[in-house]
Amino acid sequence: MSPADPRLRAMLRLAPVIPVYTPGSVQEAVAVAQALLDGGLPVIEVTLRTPVALEAIAAIVQAVPDAVVGAGTVLNGTQLEAVKAAGGRFAVAPGATDALYAAARGADLPLLPGVATASEIMRGLEHGVDTFKFFPAAAAGGRALLAAWNGPFADVRFCPTGGISQANARDYLTLPNVLCVGGSWLTERSLLQAGDYAAIGRLAAQAAVLNG
Ligand code: 3PG
């Protein structure tokens, strides 16, 4: 078992919320990253769910250098290597495979793998990972499951994501094994379509002061 990568927890401690953003265009992505950063949320997960995603990550790296941008929805090693090449600082996956763990080691890129069961946590520990995305948080057991995991896995830390909002984020953040939460509520499609980056900045400012 290799030692855990300290960069991962350091990034997850920068803010209470990691916005999960699916980019519509490169220009939009830069404006969103700037609005989130200005609102107080420096860490951004850009999902690889649209064809512009890798270009959007590269553009944010260039145009918003104080943002810490990573990629979400990373499903395989090829995507993980592309994220690294684009300048992404971390990769988030909805689950994990042995091949993905190996690719993260090979690329020297911090990986936040998704888990929803105790066995998946144990598999990650075998790969030297002790920090996970808990996904889909609300559907998989929510706060109660995280609290239960703090017994057998007291040294493990989580970023619950999936079904989290400004209204319930604090319920998760008060748990001792939660470093931050993730969510798409800051970059709702209606706000993106309206180009309302001021509203995204206001949502970020509200989220940035959430604490446990
Ligand atoms: C995702 O990967 O889709 C994230 O978990 C976002 O979930 P949410 O839309 O419920 O915030």
Side-chain angles (χ1 to χ4, degrees):
M1 185 177 136
S2 39
D5 186 336
R7 293 174 295 179
L8 191 57
R9 287 194 182 187
M11 288 188 281
L12 298 189
R13 286 196 171 104
L14 290 174
V17 176
I18 297 181
V20 177
Y21 163 59
T22 297
S25 72
V26 171
Q27 193 184 14
E28 175 199 273
V30 169
V32 165
Q34 189 68 58
L36 292 168
L37 177 68
D38 292 346
L41 297 181
V43 186
I44 306 163
E45 176 188 332
V46 177
T47 71
L48 301 187
R49 296 184 198 173
T50 59
V52 299
L54 287 168
E55 207 186 325
I57 290 169
I60 294 169
V61 170
Q62 288 298 317
V64 194
D66 289 338
V68 178
V69 59
T73 324
V74 176
L75 303 181
N76 56 55
T78 304
Q79 288 180 322
L80 187 138
E81 283 157 20
V83 169
K84 170 96 176 184
R89 301 268 297 276
F90 61 93
V92 185
T97 64
D98 291 336
L100 189 59
Y101 281 117
R105 273 196 302 274
D108 190 30
L109 188 70
L111 171 67
L112 184 69
V115 295
T117 68
S119 294
E120 289 161 359
I121 295 170
M122 291 166 67
R123 173 63 64 89
L125 291 170
E126 287 181 356
H127 282 282
V129 172
D130 64 1
T131 306
F132 301 92
K133 170 177 178 167
F134 171 40
F135 177 79
R143 187 184 195 282
L145 184 53
L146 279 170
W149 279 343
N150 200 40
F153 304 116
D155 295 331
V156 171
R157 296 292 179 270
F158 298 94
C159 173
T161 306
I164 297 181
S165 66
Q166 178 75 23
N168 66 1
R170 194 173 272 119
D171 294 344
Y172 289 91
L173 290 166
T174 52
L175 289 167
N177 54 353
V178 169
L179 295 179
C180 62
V181 301
S184 64
W185 81 89
L186 302 111
T187 55
E188 270 177 22
R189 185 165 296 276
S190 60
L191 295 178
L192 296 173
Q193 281 170 347
D196 194 348
Y197 304 117
I200 290 173
R202 285 194 296 275
L203 289 171
Q206 288 169 15
V209 296
L210 283 166
N211 55 50

